[in-house]
Amino acid sequence: MDAAAAAARLRIVVPAAAAPRGALQGALERLRRLCAPRHPAPLRLRLRIDDLQGGRVLELDDAGPLLELPLPAGTYHVHSRRGAVQRDYTMVLEPGRPFTLEL
């Protein structure tokens, strides 16, 4: 693999609702839940990225708010799932250019 092929970058942006919380923010959220009516917990975002040959590049059970991955230029399939909602994307990463995918 040459240097240009390794220069492609994939940036995945996840809505703030799926962001992990800091210690203080998490404690405040727990207190709010004790005092407020019951609401379902936020759904985790599961993410899988495969290359064109079907090889697994990345798999996460709880993706964070921002992922930035250096990947070789090429075509990739992204599968995301949050609860019952599934989405599939096919993207082409070009050498030296970032690609942003907003879920």
Side-chain angles (χ1 to χ4, degrees), residues 5-20:
R9 298 192 70 73
L10 169 62
R11 179 179 297 140
I12 299 176
V13 181
V14 180

Side-chain angles (χ1 to χ4, degrees), residues 2-96:
D2 62 14
R9 298 192 70 73
L10 169 62
R11 179 179 297 140
I12 299 176
V13 181
V14 180
R21 304 196 185 284
L24 179 58
Q25 192 175 9
L28 290 173
E29 185 64 32
R30 286 190 294 278
L31 286 173
R32 281 189 204 107
R33 283 194 304 251
L34 287 173
C35 300
R38 300 269 179 206
H39 297 287
L43 298 172
R44 297 184 316 177
L45 176 69
R46 295 171 196 252
L47 185 68
R48 185 180 75 226
I49 301 174
D50 297 327
D51 61 19
L52 205 57
Q53 292 76 33
R56 185 78 23 98
V57 175
L58 176 75
E59 186 167 19
L60 297 172
D61 283 334
D62 196 4
L66 177 67
L67 300 171
E68 194 158 338
L69 308 168
L71 294 172
T75 303
Y76 295 89
H77 300 289
V78 177
H79 175 79
S80 67
R81 172 184 264 187
R82 179 177 281 160
V85 178
Q86 295 184 56
R87 292 201 171 104
D88 291 300
Y89 305 90
T90 298
M91 62 193 174
V92 177
L93 298 181
E94 297 176 10

